[in-house]
Amino acid sequence: MAVNLTDTTQLEPYEGMRVAILDSPVTGPTHVGCGFAVLLENVGNGEAPPHLIRRSATEQLAGLMPVLHTTDVDCAGFPQLKVGDRVAGLVGPLTYHFDQFKIVHQDPQQLAITTAPVPQPPAMPVLAETHFSVATFNLENHFDQERAGNEPVIPAAQVASREVQLSRTIGSVLECPTILGVQEVENARLLVSLAEQVADICGFVYTISHQDSPDARGMDVALLAHPGRVTVQAVVLEQGCTARETAVRDPVGACPAGQFPLHSRPPLRVKLLVDGVAYTVYVNHFKSKREGEAETAAWRLAQAEHQNELVQQGLAGDPQARIVVLGVV
């Protein structure tokens, strides 16, 4: 037997119990950690689930229920779902994990899935000759097939397939942005290969601006630029320092005694010219919330303040400076 959940307002009495969700729309797609999210409230009549927006860190998203697999290492057999699909037959123990109640579904074969049509991507704005486009894109754990540290090793065929998907997104969905900030890429080799793949769609090979970061998993940020319009002048990582212990081991050693590196992925500052006009572009990827939102809030805020200081320094030197800040926060 399983307790049927109908809302998320009174979950604590059921913690550790076997619970069920009879039928729900997917509001968070399947991710690499073998999980997805559903909305308990029945939107009915095949209506698409609403966009859930948090206006503050303390606001709870009513009705949202994350669903986990029994493992986050091997996702074989776990359903690959997108927003709008519907799932019936979710059954498993209710656990409290990273400040959220979640269901650990134990038998994916018992799920009944109703697949929604794939939505069409929004059309990009039409640019005049004097305009240029700017975009940011999280490549999400774009690793290669070689081990160089603590990162996972991805089979070569899977790397190649993912590269095709990423290149289609950059070329066909984002329509070859003039400037593209990217996050979560392991190394420059992957960027070079991706730029060559995208060239089949865009008709040019992106110029790559990249520096190795001290991230423990080997995740870096980078900037791709249209070589026909953009001239890169300088590329540097802007590490900050903090009095809190961050466990970040930056080989640059830029922090004084008693302070620690603030970023495992420091902001990448790229000075460049677009059609002869000077710009400074920052690409960010702040600390993740993996250890908990409340637990990482002060660290992330310090990173945001550091990025703001960098912008203010640039404006102090030139009040008319053109500064663009991109990335994942």
Side-chain angles (χ1 to χ4, degrees), residues 186-230:
E186 182 185 354
N187 53 49
R189 293 193 305 274
L190 285 170
L191 291 168
V192 170
S193 182
L194 179 59
E196 292 173 349
Q197 182 83 38
V198 173
D200 292 339
I201 304 174
C202 296
F204 60 85
V205 178
Y206 275 106
T207 297
I208 298 167
S209 298
H210 167 265
Q211 296 284 330
D212 288 323
S213 74
D215 185 70
R217 293 197 310 139
M219 290 284 90
D220 297 334
V221 299
L223 188 78
L224 307 184
H226 188 321
R229 302 190 62 184
V230 179

Side-chain angles (χ1 to χ4, degrees), residues 90-104:
L90 283 168
V91 179
L94 183 69
T95 184
Y96 193 71
H97 181 253
F98 284 120
D99 301 327
Q100 281 185 308
F101 284 100
K102 303 177 183 180
I103 290 179
V104 181

Side-chain angles (χ1 to χ4, degrees), residues 132-202:
F132 65 92
S133 55
V134 180
T136 185
F137 186 16
N138 185 353
L139 304 184
E140 193 179 2
N141 293 317
H142 190 26
F143 294 105
D144 63 16
Q145 65 271 27
E146 299 179 12
R147 185 176 298 281
N150 298 324
E151 77 280 359
V153 175
I154 310 300
Q158 186 174 334
V159 174
S161 174
R162 182 174 176 81
E163 187 175 89
V164 171
Q165 295 173 344
L166 293 174
S167 65
R168 287 176 178 171
T169 301
I170 294 171
S172 301
V173 178
L174 298 178
E175 298 183 0
C176 309
T178 314
I179 295 173
L180 176 62
V182 297
Q183 302 80 35
E184 294 200 16
V185 62
E186 182 185 354
N187 53 49
R189 293 193 305 274
L190 285 170
L191 291 168
V192 170
S193 182
L194 179 59
E196 292 173 349
Q197 182 83 38
V198 173
D200 292 339
I201 304 174
C202 296

Side-chain angles (χ1 to χ4, degrees), residues 250-281:
D250 191 342
V252 175
C255 294
Q259 293 200 332
F260 305 91
L262 178 60
H263 302 270
S264 63
R265 301 171 290 261
L268 183 73
R269 175 171 59 83
V270 183
K271 289 191 173 184
L272 48 81
L273 303 176
V274 181
D275 299 333
V277 180
Y279 289 84
T280 298
V281 181

Side-chain angles (χ1 to χ4, degrees), residues 290-320:
R290 184 176 294 272
E291 290 83 16
E293 184 168 359
E295 291 77 3
T296 59
W299 191 344
R300 291 163 56 82
L301 180 59
Q303 291 178 328
E305 290 173 341
H306 175 239
Q307 175 60 82
N308 183 59
E309 290 171 0
L310 294 174
V311 172
Q312 295 306 316
Q313 290 170 9
L315 293 174
D318 178 7
Q320 303 302 316

